[in-house]
Amino acid sequence: MIRKTILFSILVAVPIAAAVVGFTTFGQSGPENFQEARIDLPDAEMLDASARAFRLRGDIDRDALVVINFSYTTCESICPLGNQILQFVDDRRDEVTRSVHLLTITIDPAHDTPGKMREAAEAFGASEKWHWLTSSPAVISEILKAADANVADIEFHDPVFLVGEIGSGRYFRSLSMPDADELIRMLNSFEA
Amino acid sequence: MTLLRAVIFLSFWAFPGVADPPGPGRAVFEGLAGVPGHAAIGSNKVEASRFPCRTCHRRDGRGGGEGDAPPIAWEYLSRPAHGRPAYDRGSFSDLLAIGVAPSGKRISHLMPRYEFDDETLGSLVAYLSVLTAEQKTGIHPDRIVFGVPVPTGHEAYGRRLIQNLDAVIAAKIPRNGLYGRRVELRPLVGDLPSIVDQARRQTVAVLSPVPSGRFDHSHFTGSGIPVLFPLAAVSEDDDHTLIRSLYASRERVIGSLIDKMGTDGCGQLSLLTATEAEFRDVQARLVPKNRASLEVSRDLEGHAGCAFFLSGNPGTLTWQDIGRPRAIYVPGAHVVDLLNSLDGFDGTVVVGRHETTALDLAVAEDIEVIRAHAVLIGEVLHDALRIAGRDLTRTSLLSAVGAVSRPDLGIGFPTGTPAGSEEVILQSVTFETGGGQPE
């Protein structure tokens, strides 16, 4: 009987403990709307909204965290919502322990010139740490492939947010549109 | 002077403004300024106008597209669908406020939560109730009605356009129409308020309203009436769900003229714009494009080698006021205003023309430009009506026009823009006192 109790305890308690540990670990690393991913973004040559050269890895502080969103300036439905959420994060960056760079990368490089990106950045009052980036179609394609972002048809692209460390390649990918509270919690889940 | 006038084939009219104050429900749907209420995303809030219904659910409320937003016309919401009970005003209010459908399901994160007062909510339900009827205006089982504005005192233009369009459509659209509907062109006669009212009540869209430096497409689009194929250049910022042009945008014309100034080596430039904002915008685009160091000024007293005429309202300006430049650069839309100030000018006028595809066709076929314009309308309208299918709305028609691709005619609509072409023609006319010779 005692053996049975012990066995029962082990069989039940172990999965519960695993679940608790798992939940706790997941809770520390991010809300349920995110999935961890390893992403090795290229050090791509891009242009920012002032038409200055910008290297995707080289021009971001190695210790900084990034929030990356894929968007295009003529998009009227999901992209404005994504940009609005990034604006909230931009305004609330003092709630995050570490330095944060926000990256809006166009998925319509043929149309989104630096000038178009600048207009959009100004419309959202972007700070200097919110980078609006464009490049050649080939480079954009390379980035999207590395990020495993599905944009076969730009008008039906996934509203993906990536939160992570560009240096280590440790990211969390949003599974649905997060709000700014979730993104800030996610950013603060990284070690200071 | 006569020669330059000959380059311009259209008259210009001025119209008084048309007031059409929308109710708060329509304002919420369309995201008009002054929309009452807030949109909340998580713990953050913004004005509700930042996220109007139409951007995701589309102007006809049918949804689809990015995010796969559901239909929201009230006849859809007010009946059970997809396992959910019908919405009433109370459950619709809950949906907006807390994101929970009558079935108890939580809706997508892609929709913000909205806070409206009772009056706004009631007005929104009322607007959603008439949305489909408004969107089906001018669409009948046997015909689809387009309006052609024929303003009082300027009947000649309207008559010529209708005459040409009738001939082209008769040749292009089958006798029994497309999907059983023939195309009817209805002249809209009277003053501007009367024309807008007729367009709103009777037509699916307005075709080619008369161009004018003072005529604004927003007289129609502000009332939700689509404008198709205007002769005046559209702006890239114009709403492509309400307006579609066959030609290049105003920005593209300005860009081409700026490039030309660069190759012509303009060193000093008088930049004449209607507004300070436009001056700053064009100045910012001019400097990096110009190979030589360029001094840009609004100072009408100073001497300048070149002048860029972007003002639609020169007032009493005489062109000597701008310092006797050797060259004047002007978009086609402002040529008539410029001509009034051009007596005694010696130099070159470079005109940027946006209606390249019609000009090319007119030359190739040896026909009048207005005929070429009508031919292009016939081709694009035919293709668009085939794409749009039987279940047509104003919004789906505009969307179908945007899906037309006719590289043979130089026409195509990049995503999100109202302009159907990027081609601009620059026409140079050299004046010696008393006359001009085209280059």
Side-chain angles (χ1 to χ4, degrees):
Chain A
M1 184 64 189
I2 292 171
R3 278 184 183 178
K4 274 190 177 176
T5 304
I6 292 170
L7 185 60
F8 177 78
S9 301
I10 291 169
L11 288 174
V12 173
V14 167
I16 288 175
V20 168
V21 169
F23 178 79
T24 306
T25 305
F26 195 59
Q28 286 171 345
S29 60
E32 60 187 19
N33 190 20
F34 288 85
Q35 190 173 52
E36 189 160 5
R38 302 293 303 182
I39 297 172
D40 187 21
L41 290 176
D43 192 19
E45 290 183 16
M46 310 193 78
L47 291 173
D48 69 11
S50 299
R52 292 176 303 216
F54 187 96
R55 296 202 77 96
L56 187 54
R57 296 172 69 103
D59 282 326
I60 293 174
D61 310 334
R62 185 152 182 85
D63 297 336
L65 296 170
V66 292
V67 181
I68 302 173
N69 183 225
F70 301 101
S71 179
Y72 61 104
T73 60
T74 53
C75 165
E76 293 187 326
S77 50
I78 292 177
C79 309
L81 184 63
N83 290 335
Q84 182 65 66
I85 289 162
L86 284 181
Q87 185 195 58
F88 292 144
V89 175
D90 202 26
D91 291 344
R92 294 170 58 185
R93 57 174 65 246
D94 61 343
E95 296 175 33
V96 183
T97 320
R98 287 171 60 175
S99 172
V100 179
H101 288 255
L102 309 179
L103 277 62
T104 296
I105 297 176
T106 183
I107 55 173
D108 185 13
H111 176 268
D112 284 341
T113 60
K116 295 281 181 194
M117 299 297 271
R118 187 183 69 240
E119 285 174 21
E122 287 174 355
F124 284 93
S127 74
E128 61 182 18
K129 285 194 172 180
W130 184 358
H131 312 284
W132 293 67
L133 303 173
T134 187
S135 190
S136 67
V139 168
I140 295 293
S141 177
E142 185 187 6
I143 294 167
L144 292 170
K145 191 174 175 188
D148 194 20
N150 172 25
V151 289
D153 180 344
I154 63 168
E155 292 186 48
F156 294 91
H157 74 280
D158 291 334
V160 174
F161 281 77
L162 300 173
V163 181
E165 294 172 314
I166 211 157
S168 71
R170 181 175 175 239
Y171 284 88
F172 289 87
R173 179 194 305 277
S174 68
L175 301 176
S176 66
M177 185 72 85
D179 59 36
D181 306 313
E182 288 177 281
L183 286 170
I184 286 169
R185 277 199 301 275
M186 194 75 252
L187 287 163
N188 280 328
S189 72
F190 283 81
E191 288 178 10
Chain B
M1 187 71 69
T2 309
L3 197 61
L4 186 55
R5 284 185 193 279
V7 176
I8 310 305
F9 66 95
L10 295 162
S11 303
F12 285 58
W13 287 270
F15 291 104
V18 176
D20 179 31
R26 183 169 160 241
V28 165
F29 185 89
E30 296 198 3
L32 305 179
V35 169
H38 292 92
I41 307 162
S43 63
N44 293 104
K45 290 182 185 177
V46 290
E47 290 177 1
S49 61
R50 297 288 291 269
F51 297 102
C53 314
R54 70 168 174 81
T55 54
C56 293
H57 300 278
R58 302 193 174 180
R59 279 192 181 276
D60 55 11
R62 291 183 165 192
E66 196 173 57
D68 199 21
I72 56 167
W74 193 250
E75 71 268 16
Y76 171 80
L77 292 178
S78 61
R79 64 171 188 257
H82 303 303
R84 62 146 174 82
Y87 281 91
D88 58 20
R89 182 171 157 155
S91 56
F92 185 56
S93 174
D94 288 345
L95 173 88
L96 294 175
I98 59 175
V100 176
S103 61
K105 281 188 181 172
R106 191 161 284 280
I107 62 164
S108 165
H109 281 80
L110 296 177
M111 180 160 147
R113 308 295 172 244
Y114 291 90
E115 299 169 0
F116 297 127
D117 60 27
D118 276 354
E119 183 195 350
T120 304
L121 181 73
S123 179
L124 179 58
V125 171
Y127 184 68
L128 294 177
S129 302
V130 300
L131 180 60
T132 298
E134 184 179 291
Q135 280 282 324
K136 291 277 188 182
T137 305
I139 300 165
H140 306 276
D142 61 340
R143 68 195 191 286
I144 175 167
V145 182
F146 291 90
V148 181
V150 185
T152 304
H154 303 282
E155 289 82 358
Y157 160 79
R159 213 168 32 238
R160 284 176 66 205
L161 181 63
I162 290 173
Q163 207 172 32
N164 279 289
L165 280 173
D166 267 335
V168 165
I169 286 168
K172 192 70 195 170
I173 310 280
R175 181 186 293 270
N176 294 329
L178 290 168
Y179 302 104
R181 291 193 188 101
R182 61 188 168 78
V183 170
E184 178 183 325
L185 300 177
R186 183 167 298 176
L188 307 176
V189 180
D191 58 14
L192 181 64
S194 166
I195 286 174
V196 171
D197 189 55
Q198 292 169 65
R200 179 172 40 222
R201 293 170 191 278
Q202 301 172 16
T203 71
V204 67
V206 166
L207 285 181
S208 295
V210 285
S212 161
R214 291 174 287 276
F215 186 89
D216 192 334
H217 309 309
S218 68
H219 289 131
F220 295 104
T221 56
S223 296
I225 306 160
V227 173
L228 287 177
F229 321 130
L231 283 154
V234 295
S235 164
E236 286 174 11
D237 292 333
D238 283 336
D239 185 344
H240 65 93
T241 66
L242 278 174
I243 188 164
R244 294 281 188 182
S245 167
L246 297 169
Y247 307 127
S249 66
R250 172 180 166 78
E251 289 83 354
R252 184 68 66 168
V253 172
I254 290 173
S256 295
L257 287 167
I258 287 173
D259 288 344
K260 175 72 172 154
M261 285 176 218
T263 56
D264 288 354
C266 289
Q268 291 176 308
L269 183 76
S270 279
L271 176 53
L272 297 144
T273 59
T275 65
E276 181 66 31
E278 187 171 46
F279 177 83
R280 285 197 304 272
D281 177 57
V282 175
Q283 185 184 35
R285 295 165 63 185
L286 267 164
V287 175
K289 284 276 187 182
N290 225 288
R291 290 173 187 168
S293 62
L294 180 67
E295 185 185 330
V296 182
S297 171
R298 294 193 81 173
D299 180 12
L300 301 183
E301 300 300 322
H303 177 82
C306 304
F308 196 3
F309 190 89
L310 285 166
S311 170
N313 185 20
T316 57
L317 174 72
T318 64
W319 94 273
Q320 288 91 335
D321 291 333
I322 57 181
R324 296 185 178 279
R326 61 182 164 81
I328 301 177
Y329 300 81
V330 59
H334 297 317
V335 168
V336 170
D337 298 313
L338 177 67
L339 287 175
N340 295 329
S341 311
L342 214 52
D343 280 342
F345 171 66
D346 281 328
T348 302
V349 173
V350 181
V351 184
R353 302 291 298 267
H354 66 286
E355 64 275 46
T356 306
T357 42
L359 294 171
D360 285 348
L361 186 64
V363 170
E365 301 289 327
D366 193 20
I367 53 178
E368 280 188 302
V369 176
I370 198 163
R371 176 71 170 189
H373 179 68
V375 168
L376 295 177
I377 289 176
E379 293 289 335
V380 173
L381 207 53
H382 170 266
D383 290 5
L385 288 171
R386 285 184 67 94
I387 292 168
R390 179 178 296 280
D391 191 13
L392 196 61
T393 64
R394 282 175 163 171
T395 298
S396 69
L397 174 64
L398 270 281
S399 176
V401 170
V404 171
S405 175
R406 291 294 299 269
D408 57 320
L409 299 172
I411 292 173
F413 299 87
T415 305
T417 66
S421 171
E422 296 183 342
E423 295 299 316
V424 174
I425 285 182
L426 299 180
Q427 294 175 319
S428 296
V429 182
T430 301
F431 286 84
E432 294 167 6
T433 306
Q437 292 296 321
E439 287 180 351

